[in-house]
Amino acid sequence: MDKQSANNFFFPKDGSAGIISGPCSAETREQVIETATQLAALKKVHLFRAGIWKPRTRPGMFEGVGSIGLEWLLDAKKITGLPTTVEVATAKQVEEALKYNVDVLWIGARTTVNPFSIQELSDALVGVDVPVLIKNPINPDIELWQGAVERIAKAGIQKIGLVHRGFSSYGNTVYRNAPMWHLAIEMKRRFPELIFICDPSHMGGKRDLLQELAQKSIDLGYDGLMIESHVNPSEAWSDAAQQITPTNLDILLNNIIWRRTTLDVDEQNELQKLRQQIDQLDDELLQVLSNRMKITDLIGEYKKENNITILQAQRWNDILQRAFEKNESLGLSDEFIKKYFEAVHLESINHQNKIMNS
Ligand code: PEP
Ligand code: MN
């Protein structure tokens, strides 16, 4: 499959990033219309978002205005021309949203996690032609994310996009939801044809973190951003700490250094030269590692004959210390050195284990 047209999500045809923005929750008719009007005036926002039904972690919090919000969204669209998107979690909500001509549906992180809910949504979407954005599940399990894509696709939905909003963890961390970029990168590898959007608002949970998270996702080649905005963010009924005014959204977008994912022929040739060197070095690295394991095997034979344990704690410590010292002039991070040697050491142990027990 070719890369889906970003245009399916009302994003620019020229391939520049698509911007989804609007409040975490629709609160009042005035707040919805005013936010949409200010966003439309920026001429940088392509899709207006607002939560109508809010999946809150605990009862008693603001759970959304419900279907009345759909009328406000429809009014906002009539006034500003901005297409709209809302979160849906049940078949009934899909039916309501479609009745009010919502342009794009999105599936929230607390729904992606539950195959029963995803199946219910899929069944409700059979025969419907509407683009669907699927947020990552709250827990770092991309099989669930993939499963959701597969179920929605099986229902016949062809316009599917992915939203990376980070993964929750226990206790206080810098991020409200840890980005775990590597999981999103793996998801991008599995579904290169799907539009990929970053939601730095729910990742960071704080206004201060938006700029750097948004930049990082653009550096990684994401197709768009979903950023929560509100005319009066600190008074928002949900997610007050992470929403920004449309004016601050404008500043944030102006500060981003936009990157291209496509290369012209000269650029391709230039990179090709450097990549050939990388490939050559990778081949050498693999050969060196293979040679190292052959020595490991000899050590394994010796330990076996003399009944010596495989793990020699002091030796392992020495290897690591030596590597840290050597690295002082090499410019690799200590974190990488540790990860790399742990992997090599584990491979050595596995090799010796095989020899000991053969
Ligand atoms: C939201 O977008 O307001 C929302 C509830 O997001 P998530 O599903 O990512 O928590
Ligand atoms: Mn929110």
Side-chain angles (χ1 to χ4, degrees):
M1 220 195 304
D2 286 338
K3 176 103 187 171
Q4 283 214 0
S5 167
N7 201 23
N8 289 334
F9 299 88
F10 306 92
F11 288 4
K13 289 195 179 75
D14 66 4
S16 56
I19 307 298
I20 305 170
S21 192
C24 177
S25 304
E27 297 165 4
T28 64
R29 188 176 186 283
E30 292 67 35
Q31 169 247 12
V32 168
I33 306 284
E34 187 54 27
T35 310
T37 304
Q38 291 187 21
L39 289 173
L42 303 180
K43 305 213 181 302
K44 288 177 187 157
V45 172
H46 310 105
L47 189 56
F48 180 65
R49 64 151 280 158
I52 303 294
W53 303 283
K54 299 303 295 180
R56 305 315 300 274
T57 304
R58 297 179 50 201
M61 298 160 98
F62 172 59
E63 294 190 318
V65 291
S67 301
I68 181 80
L70 293 168
E71 294 180 17
W72 306 339
L73 275 175
L74 195 56
D75 287 347
K77 176 158 63 174
K78 280 184 196 145
I79 294 168
T80 65
L82 277 179
T84 59
T85 180
V86 298
E87 173 175 355
V88 289
T90 65
K92 178 91 172 58
Q93 292 171 1
V94 169
E95 192 190 309
E96 290 275 291
L98 294 173
K99 199 165 79 194
Y100 283 88
N101 293 327
V102 168
D103 299 280
V104 174
L105 304 178
W106 99 73
I107 298 176
R110 289 164 191 75
T111 306
T112 307
V113 88
N114 183 351
F116 284 126
S117 300
I118 294 291
Q119 192 55 51
E120 178 183 328
L121 290 176
S122 303
D123 294 342
L125 286 167
V126 171
V128 179
D129 178 23
V130 66
V132 178
L133 293 167
I134 306 177
K135 287 197 169 195
N136 68 254
I138 43 179
N139 56 327
D141 177 354
I142 58 170
E143 300 307 317
L144 281 169
W145 204 0
Q146 171 159 358
V149 172
E150 287 166 350
R151 280 180 207 271
I152 297 295
K154 251 177 124 172
I157 295 293
Q158 301 201 341
K159 302 164 187 167
I160 297 175
L162 299 172
V163 181
H164 175 209
R165 49 76 83 191
F167 302 88
S168 70
S169 55
Y170 181 72
N172 288 332
T173 54
V174 177
Y175 301 110
R176 178 179 176 190
N177 293 292
M180 300 194 189
W181 297 101
H182 61 291
L183 295 184
I185 290 168
E186 169 59 15
M187 197 64 183
K188 234 161 118 77
R189 191 189 64 78
R190 292 188 192 182
F191 294 99
E193 73 281 9
L194 300 188
I195 290 296
F196 222 87
I197 294 161
C198 182
D199 170 351
S201 302
H202 291 88
M203 251 178 211
K206 294 180 217 52
R207 284 182 270 284
D208 306 358
L209 294 172
L210 293 179
Q211 188 81 52
E212 78 174 60
L213 288 167
Q215 183 65 55
K216 172 113 188 190
S217 67
I218 294 304
D219 292 345
L220 288 172
Y222 283 52
D223 302 293
L225 297 167
M226 183 193 262
I227 298 180
E228 286 184 343
S229 56
H230 192 289
V231 277
N232 192 357
S234 53
E235 298 299 316
W237 299 1
S238 59
D239 289 352
Q242 71 195 30
Q243 303 200 63
I244 53 175
T245 60
T247 307
N248 284 334
L249 176 71
D250 192 32
I251 294 171
L252 183 148
L253 294 175
N254 285 338
N255 282 338
I256 289 182
I257 301 164
W258 300 99
R259 317 267 187 208
R260 281 175 295 123
T261 51
T262 49
L263 291 78
D264 65 29
V265 178
D266 284 349
E267 290 166 335
Q268 262 171 24
N269 290 339
E270 203 52 45
L271 280 182
Q272 187 56 25
K273 280 188 235 156
L274 293 170
R275 285 176 174 158
Q276 270 166 3
Q277 293 181 45
I278 293 273
D279 287 349
Q280 173 67 28
L281 288 169
D282 279 345
D283 289 352
E284 286 171 24
L285 269 176
L286 286 175
Q287 191 56 55
V288 168
L289 280 173
S290 165
N291 294 348
R292 189 192 192 280
M293 288 307 152
K294 284 182 192 130
I295 309 280
T296 295
D297 290 350
L298 294 178
I299 294 180
E301 307 272 5
Y302 186 83
K303 285 178 180 165
K304 182 180 179 180
E305 274 163 30
N306 296 284
N307 272 330
I308 299 170
T309 57
I310 294 177
L311 181 65
Q312 297 287 318
Q314 185 56 43
R315 168 67 181 152
W316 168 224
N317 194 42
D318 291 346
I319 290 179
L320 268 183
Q321 288 317 316
R322 237 182 122 248
F324 285 141
E325 275 162 34
K326 275 237 158 238
N327 184 41
E328 279 169 16
S329 60
L330 295 179
L332 302 166
S333 71
D334 282 352
E335 190 194 354
F336 170 74
I337 292 286
K338 184 138 187 288
K339 263 195 201 147
Y340 167 79
F341 274 97
E342 273 167 358
V344 170
H345 189 237
L346 192 60
E347 180 71 3
S348 295
I349 288 176
N350 291 343
H351 265 246
Q352 295 193 7
N353 235 322
K354 240 194 226 152
I355 288 170
M356 288 273 193
N357 297 304
S358 65

